[in-house]
Amino acid sequence: MKIGIFGAGHMGGAMIKGWLNSNKVAPEDLLVRGGKRGTAKQLQEDLDFTLTNEITDFSQCEIIFLAVNTPLILPILNDLQKLIGETDIPIVSVSAGVSVTEMSQVMGSDYPLAQAIPNTPVQINEGMTGIVYAENIAENAKELINKCFYFLGDLVEITDDKIGIFGTLAGCGPAFVDVFMEALSDGAVLNGMDRDMAYQVAAKMVSSSANLLLKTGKHPGELKDGVTSPGGTTIKGITALEKEGFRYATINAIDTIMKN
Ligand SMILES: NC(=O)c1ccc[n+]([C@@H]2O[C@H](COP(=O)([O-])OP(=O)(O)OC[C@H]3O[C@@H](n4cnc5c(N)ncnc54)[C@H](OP(=O)(O)O)[C@@H]3O)[C@@H](O)[C@H]2O)c1
């Protein structure tokens, strides 16, 4: 399958790494165009995909992803419209800032389009991507798009009005968890644990706790209750967190992003 991708920065690069890690996509199946700062060129030296400056090369692709900064999405779509506007090569933008409706205004209401919000764990095939399809998209175009994302992790269909909150939870969330793991490790180092071991233990504890929730389907409160024996150490720790407004701080982090 020939996958075209515009932009190989944080997100484009993460998707490229995920596809190559999946062993379902070979370097020669990836056609990439970067910008002027040379991030795509740097990545290409490590990963050996095909780099091009020629937009016309993208007419050979089976599917095209746009992972460029938001202001570039519509200008690039305009160029693609002239090149492949008469074809049915699906185009997927991963920008939160341009809706499928705006994309359809450039490409036409019958053109196969989607807006997807992946997160950085796509690079290890554990991404969580939300997707909105164009209204008139054909089933085969949808299947091709889905196949590319399933190589990168999980995929859920969402509605246009939920793009913002999905991107906040799934896209910004990893950074909140990173800060949490760093802080947990600082607490462990403060109490004598080796720094490398603290990161390893904190990361494994977070990922296995998340997996326990996913695999058992239990409410997070029920899982917490299972660790907190009466008068025990864990409930003392939770009380200390709540005294500092842990829940409110977390809820407010999401809400603050949504209000900006
Ligand atoms: N980062 C995330 O976690 C995340 C999550 C979900 C969605 N997104 C979306 O992903 C998109 C990219 O974000 P990012 O964080 O990856 O930004 P980024 O790191 O700045 O990467 C942007 C990429 O676009 C390339 N580029 C610039 N002009 C171009 C052009 N004319 N043609 C082709 N490529 C061009 C840049 O190349 P040069 O560096 O060589 O100039 C760079 O590789 C945004 O729309 C963002 O909303 C990001």
Side-chain angles (χ1 to χ4, degrees):
M1 177 183 2
K2 195 85 174 170
I3 300 178
I5 179 157
F6 285 70
H10 291 105
M11 186 40 68
M15 291 166 73
I16 290 169
K17 285 179 196 159
W19 281 320
L20 295 177
N21 278 340
S22 75
N23 289 323
K24 308 272 190 213
V25 179
E28 58 271 23
D29 295 331
L30 286 171
L31 180 71
V32 180
R33 185 181 182 209
K36 295 196 178 92
R37 287 176 306 168
T39 45
K41 175 80 191 115
Q42 264 174 21
L43 200 64
Q44 192 253 353
E45 281 163 18
D46 286 341
L47 302 179
D48 210 25
F49 48 75
T50 308
L51 196 60
T52 183
N53 277 326
E54 299 301 325
I55 194 166
T56 49
D57 290 346
F58 285 84
S59 60
Q60 309 155 15
C61 294
E62 283 171 66
I63 182 164
I64 296 173
F65 290 84
L66 305 181
V68 293
N69 304 98
T70 301
L72 292 174
I73 299 285
L74 293 179
I76 290 177
L77 264 187
N78 257 304
D79 292 341
L80 287 173
Q81 206 285 329
K82 288 173 205 132
L83 182 71
I84 56 166
E86 301 301 317
T87 72
D88 58 0
I89 302 170
I91 302 177
V92 183
S93 157
V94 301
S95 163
V98 180
S99 69
V100 166
T101 309
E102 288 168 289
M103 292 168 72
S104 294
Q105 279 160 3
V106 178
M107 295 302 296
S109 57
D110 288 331
Y111 198 89
L113 297 164
Q115 180 189 18
I117 307 295
N119 62 2
T120 48
V122 291
Q123 65 194 285
I124 54 158
N125 315 91
E126 295 201 21
M128 182 73 243
T129 300
I131 193 159
V132 181
Y133 306 99
E135 215 174 293
N136 301 325
I137 194 164
E139 210 44 50
N140 61 340
K142 224 169 159 173
E143 275 168 21
L144 183 56
I145 294 168
N146 293 357
K147 189 170 150 189
C148 291
F149 279 114
Y150 281 127
F151 291 155
L152 302 177
D154 283 348
L155 180 72
V156 283
E157 184 172 356
I158 52 177
T159 50
D160 201 41
D161 60 326
K162 297 291 183 288
I163 279 274
I165 185 56
F166 183 90
T168 300
L169 185 58
C172 306
F176 301 169
V177 177
D178 291 337
V179 170
F180 180 52
M181 288 188 294
E182 192 184 12
L184 287 168
S185 304
D186 284 344
V189 171
L190 182 66
N191 284 278
M193 191 181 271
D194 172 76
R195 170 69 61 184
D196 287 345
M197 183 184 278
Y199 286 146
Q200 199 186 339
V201 173
K204 183 65 190 174
M205 179 276 294
V206 168
S207 84
S208 55
S209 303
N211 278 332
L212 191 63
L213 186 136
L214 288 171
K215 288 189 179 157
T216 60
K218 286 186 177 171
H219 186 285
E222 194 184 344
L223 292 173
K224 181 264 296 170
D225 289 353
V227 192
T228 45
S229 50
T233 49
T234 309
I235 194 68
K236 287 180 184 149
I238 287 175
T239 307
L241 280 173
E242 297 297 3
K243 194 175 166 219
E244 302 300 329
F246 182 67
R247 273 173 208 257
Y248 175 74
T250 309
I251 294 166
N252 194 39
I254 301 277
D255 200 41
T256 301
I257 294 174
M258 294 304 291
K259 282 183 175 142
N260 274 326

